[in-house]
Amino acid sequence: MKAANSVLREPALPSDWEMVVGLEVHVELNTKSKLFCGCANRFGDEPNTNVCPVCLGLPGSLPVVNLRAVKLAIRLGRALGCEINPAVFARKNYFYPDMPKNYQISQYQQAINTGGAVKLPDGSVVELERAHIEEDTGKTIHIGGSGRIKGAAYSLVDHNRAGVPLIEIVTLPQLYTASQVRAFVRELRAILLATDVSDARMQEGSMRVDANVSVRPADDSGLRTRCEIKNISSVRSLSQAVVYEANRHIDLWSTGGSPSQETRHWDEERGCTISGRSKEHTEDYRYFPDPDLAPFAFSKDDIAAVDAALPLLPAARREKLIAACGDTITPETAALLVERDQDELVVDAVSVGADAKRVTTRVVNDLALDDWAVVTPERLAEVVVMETSGRISATQAKKVLAEMVEHGTDPEAIVAARGFENVSSGEIESIVKDIIEKHQDEWQLYCQGDATDRKKMSSFLTGQVMRATKGRADGATVGRLLHQHAQN
Ligand code: ZN
Ligand code: MN
């Protein structure tokens, strides 16, 4: 299956150590305008075209809260099972060239969302500390050299991103393997897409993941010094980065040293983390409530309305899918189908009587990349019933599906036009006999060889039968006939 092929080989850690990861995920909210001004929130525009005195931090300008951004934040909060608190904004003071105010408007003592959890497809639960609102900074672009600040000739600043609404989701340190880290990011992304809170595109920077990594001996439960890794631009880099960092800590601890708490950057080309700055402590930021923004709260009714408008979330969709398919579907396949937004197609096709296992196989393998929107559950079920009843072969079913996707034609019409009808059982039996006669060497190997030979020869002989019938024979039937002949 495609799902299995795309799984990365798990990078190794010594078994007597455990990695502990907490994530901080910044996500840009799906709003038309910025968090405190009317400028467009849009990726990819000409630099410094979506700017005004507020997001440029000019003296005398005043921020006004974008209510839609705050509502999206609490929508996500409810989807994550968080407690909703009043909206209170604070200034986080630090200097950076792409932040002209010299402070970022964020939330400090009271985040709008606290608590909550994400349940992963494998059943594990990752608790959240908070999910707070803040504004994004501008973007510094380094010209010359490798594109990094080090070695650059000069730098340019684009303020289009300054003031874009963000939500920062902070987990507790409860992720222990690279695959769990990946699963968390995928699950969070699925929730963000389902709730329409963000487009969550890591490659465009609308979802950015920082990882706090530490290690401990496997029999220990305390937390040791952590390092924060920034600059991670894909889920793949994320798992490489956390494992690299964990191994670095293990080496240090094992040789009498210790890591120091710092921010590190993931170097994509070299595949390692490099020291950034020593980590600031919260007191360095001199947080204080923003005097320009009055706190406000949502009523119980407001929150009830948010709850009522929530769509079915990925975890519930997986459960629904598993309920419809029973034990013919693995949790991984269920997760994949929900991610591809094909779960409803499968549930509906099964509900009109198609075999669940065959439906999922066809959807996973044969409706993977194409634009499958024209395939209705009824038509999908029709193809699958033709296949399971033996009217058409598996090969023919794939062709029917491909043609449906391409032309939107209905299955009956395709079968008629292509002259797809399965070979009759009498006909197929004589073809199988014929193939055995013609390929005696292979047949002997099939009958007398070990399991590997048998498997190889089985697919060779089946292939010959398929050729002779132009793909009209059913593979399973051919396999059964070969097996029968070998018994005689
Ligand atoms: Zn603006
Ligand atoms: Mn932040």
Side-chain angles (χ1 to χ4, degrees):
M1 245 189 278
K2 289 225 167 52
N5 291 339
S6 66
V7 170
L8 298 161
R9 212 158 50 98
E10 198 65 33
L13 277 176
S15 62
D16 48 343
W17 287 88
E18 182 175 57
M19 168 170 76
V20 184
V21 178
L23 298 177
E24 292 174 21
V25 186
H26 286 84
V27 173
E28 288 181 1
L29 298 174
N30 228 343
T31 55
K32 285 200 171 62
S33 53
K34 294 187 181 179
L35 186 53
F36 299 115
C37 63
C39 293
N41 167 18
R42 202 164 44 223
F43 179 81
D45 282 5
E46 276 290 295
N48 298 310
T49 50
N50 301 323
V51 291
C52 74
V54 173
C55 54
L56 287 174
L58 300 189
S61 64
L62 286 171
V64 177
V65 177
N66 177 343
L67 191 60
R68 169 149 165 96
V70 180
K71 281 189 173 164
L72 280 178
I74 64 175
R75 181 174 166 85
L76 179 66
R78 295 308 286 179
L80 297 171
C82 301
E83 181 106 20
I84 308 297
N85 307 299
V88 187
F89 293 97
R91 291 185 181 180
K92 180 182 183 181
N93 298 280
Y94 65 100
F95 170 79
Y96 208 76
D98 58 19
M99 200 180 58
K101 289 200 298 288
N102 284 343
Y103 62 84
Q104 176 191 29
I105 304 178
S106 180
Q107 297 191 290
Y108 181 48
Q109 265 152 345
Q110 183 148 55
I112 190 131
N113 301 308
T114 47
V118 173
K119 192 178 173 195
L120 303 184
D122 72 359
S124 59
V125 174
V126 181
E127 290 175 284
L128 306 176
E129 188 187 305
R130 57 198 268 147
H132 66 259
I133 304 171
E134 62 187 24
E135 60 177 343
D136 210 344
T137 59
K139 213 191 271 179
T140 315
I141 302 149
H142 307 295
I143 308 294
S146 62
R148 287 172 199 292
I149 189 163
K150 194 165 173 259
Y154 58 93
S155 300
L156 297 170
V157 183
D158 176 9
H159 289 286
N160 282 354
R161 201 180 68 178
V164 161
L166 292 176
I167 189 146
E168 178 177 341
I169 300 123
V170 183
T171 77
L172 293 176
Q174 291 182 346
L175 295 145
Y176 307 103
T177 64
S179 72
Q180 245 189 334
V181 168
R182 288 197 298 273
F184 177 87
V185 172
R186 287 171 67 168
E187 187 64 11
L188 179 62
R189 187 163 184 275
I191 295 168
L192 289 161
L193 294 176
T195 51
D196 206 18
V197 165
S198 173
D199 61 14
R201 292 191 181 131
M202 276 184 94
Q203 69 281 12
E204 287 184 3
S206 61
M207 180 168 177
R208 308 194 284 272
V209 184
D210 301 334
N212 285 296
V213 181
S214 66
V215 297
R216 63 188 174 200
D219 55 3
D220 198 348
S221 61
L223 289 171
R224 297 193 173 192
T225 309
R226 65 173 193 268
C227 288
E228 185 184 19
I229 315 171
K230 288 190 178 290
N231 236 14
I232 306 169
S233 59
S234 69
V235 178
R236 190 165 176 271
S237 308
L238 176 63
S239 44
Q240 289 173 337
V242 295
V243 172
Y244 174 89
E245 186 63 12
N247 274 318
R248 195 181 70 85
H249 287 211
I250 293 167
D251 285 349
L252 284 167
W253 292 117
S254 309
T255 52
S258 62
S260 42
Q261 186 170 333
E262 63 181 351
T263 300
R264 298 179 66 87
H265 295 272
W266 174 243
D267 186 322
E268 186 75 57
E269 286 119 65
R270 291 196 288 158
C272 65
T273 63
I274 43 178
S275 183
R277 55 186 152 91
S278 63
K279 176 79 181 161
E280 288 84 354
H281 297 278
T282 41
E283 58 267 26
D284 296 329
Y285 289 120
R286 298 291 185 271
Y287 278 101
F288 66 88
D290 193 310
D292 292 338
L293 293 157
F296 63 96
F298 288 93
S299 69
K300 273 206 172 80
D301 287 351
D302 291 333
I303 293 165
V306 170
D307 286 347
L310 277 180
L312 205 58
L313 295 167
R317 286 166 60 175
R318 287 195 297 271
E319 272 165 35
K320 197 174 158 192
L321 186 56
I322 290 168
C325 296
D327 52 14
T328 65
I329 191 167
T330 62
E332 293 75 34
T333 306
L336 178 75
L337 288 168
V338 170
E339 208 166 289
R340 287 204 213 145
D341 211 10
Q342 292 176 316
D343 49 319
E344 215 179 301
L345 176 69
V346 170
V347 170
D348 292 350
V350 170
S351 79
V352 296
D355 175 66
K357 193 175 166 59
R358 199 59 65 99
V359 169
T360 40
T361 307
R362 283 289 153 262
V363 173
V364 167
N365 296 334
D366 302 301
L367 298 178
L369 302 166
D370 303 294
D371 182 11
W372 49 270
V374 295
V375 180
T376 63
E378 292 75 20
R379 284 177 167 184
L380 172 63
E382 225 179 294
V383 180
V384 168
V385 168
M386 286 178 182
E387 186 187 343
T388 47
S389 68
R391 198 180 138 195
I392 59 172
S393 69
T395 319
Q396 290 171 335
K398 287 166 187 266
K399 285 183 183 156
V400 173
L401 273 178
E403 208 158 310
M404 272 168 69
V405 168
E406 201 176 343
H407 305 294
T409 336
D410 85 274
E412 279 295 348
I414 299 168
V415 167
R418 292 269 212 138
F420 282 171
E421 286 298 333
N422 234 342
V423 193
S424 73
S425 55
E427 195 184 336
I428 200 168
E429 216 155 312
S430 76
I431 293 171
V432 168
K433 268 193 200 145
D434 198 40
I435 295 295
I436 291 174
E437 302 259 299
K438 276 193 198 147
H439 301 279
Q440 273 299 310
D441 291 350
E442 286 83 358
W443 176 243
Q444 288 313 318
L445 201 51
Y446 175 89
C447 295
Q448 284 146 24
D450 61 15
T452 322
D453 290 333
R454 200 179 168 86
K455 213 176 152 197
K456 260 195 206 155
M457 290 310 110
S458 169
S459 60
F460 169 79
L461 294 163
T462 308
Q464 295 300 317
V465 176
M466 288 300 177
R467 244 173 87 178
T469 59
K470 296 194 174 64
R472 290 183 305 135
D474 176 56
T477 313
V478 177
R480 194 164 38 78
L481 288 170
L482 288 172
H483 185 72
Q484 273 171 16
H485 277 281
Q487 305 291 307
N488 295 335

